[in-house]
Amino acid sequence: EPEVTQTPSHQVTQMGQEVILRCVPISNHLYFYWYRQILGQKVEFLVSFYNNEISEKSEIFDDQFSVERPDGSNFTLKIRSTKLEDSAMYFCASSVRNGDGYTFGSGTRLTVV
Amino acid sequence: GQQLNQSPQSMFIQEGEDVSMNCTSSSIFNTWLWYKQDPGEGPVLLIALYKAGELTSNGRLTAQFGITRKDSFLNISASIPSDVGIYFCAGQGNFNKFYFGSGTKLNVKP
């Protein structure tokens, strides 16, 4: 069964450092998303991406965040200057169409120290 | 952002029992999804609902998209130990994003 692949599975970074979280969505999917989940809390929307541009973003997705699809397969989330409160699980997801059920990756656990 | 109220927050049941959980919203949604999440893993899609009134089954799981488009429920029949996990509802309105409920933690005693 096709999967969304995320790397790394766990990243520890110093506060103020930049991190790049990587995702390989399912190959025939056209819509890509980043969500995050702070430990013990619900899954929160960050950003959706379609046709090489952001289609929606939440208030969490401020100027410190950016997304990119640098080639035909990868979809990355960059956090420019990490803060302690950025510590969370970050999930990438993809879907064929807008409104379809997403397939989520297994997540990257980001720990900012 | 939109608020989804998911209940109950947690459940402790005996193996073999049926389970019901639901989500309500103050806004109308066009799509409802139900996910299960195991510890340290990403959510796994269980059931997707696209039409008001739709009732869909996936094995022992049944979910319905409420007629008002503001609610959905998930039933699990004859629970087994591997049903343990956190169940999330998610709803999408007119924008390209889903709002997630706060989850129902299910514990099943063998």
Side-chain angles (χ1 to χ4, degrees), chain B residues 46-68:
Chain B
L46 300 174
I47 293 182
L49 301 159
Y50 298 108
K51 218 164 58 167
E54 182 181 351
L55 183 73
T56 297
S57 292
N58 177 8
R60 293 177 296 106
L61 277 59
T62 302
Q64 184 156 33
F65 191 145
I67 288 288
T68 65

Side-chain angles (χ1 to χ4, degrees), chain A residues 33 35 37 91 98-99 102, chain B residues 35 37 42 50 92 95-96 98:
Chain A
Y33 311 87
Y35 282 75
Q37 186 178 33
F91 293 107
N98 180 18
Y102 300 163
Chain B
Y35 284 91
Q37 187 177 29
Y50 298 108
Q92 183 190 29
F95 302 100
N96 190 8
F98 278 89

Side-chain angles (χ1 to χ4, degrees), chain B:
Chain B
Q2 309 246 16
Q3 293 293 325
L4 287 190
N5 296 310
Q6 185 171 350
S7 64
Q9 221 172 5
S10 65
M11 304 181 78
F12 291 82
I13 61 167
Q14 204 72 36
E15 184 177 357
E17 287 183 357
D18 296 346
V19 167
S20 188
M21 58 193 80
N22 70 83
C23 274
T24 59
S25 166
S26 56
S27 304
I28 287 172
F29 284 138
N30 298 320
T31 302
W32 281 96
L33 307 175
W34 284 92
Y35 284 91
K36 180 181 182 233
Q37 187 177 29
D38 291 327
E41 300 288 326
V44 174
L45 182 65
L46 300 174
I47 293 182
L49 301 159
Y50 298 108
K51 218 164 58 167
E54 182 181 351
L55 183 73
T56 297
S57 292
N58 177 8
R60 293 177 296 106
L61 277 59
T62 302
Q64 184 156 33
F65 191 145
I67 288 288
T68 65
R69 292 166 64 194
K70 292 183 179 180
D71 62 316
S72 177
F73 71 74
L74 174 72
N75 286 343
I76 305 172
S77 63
S79 56
I80 58 179
S82 61
D83 290 334
V84 164
I86 302 178
Y87 291 79
F88 289 99
C89 62
Q92 183 190 29
N94 291 326
F95 302 100
N96 190 8
K97 59 185 170 185
F98 278 89
Y99 297 92
F100 277 73
S102 49
T104 294
K105 189 171 183 180
L106 180 63
N107 299 279
V108 180
K109 267 174 46 173

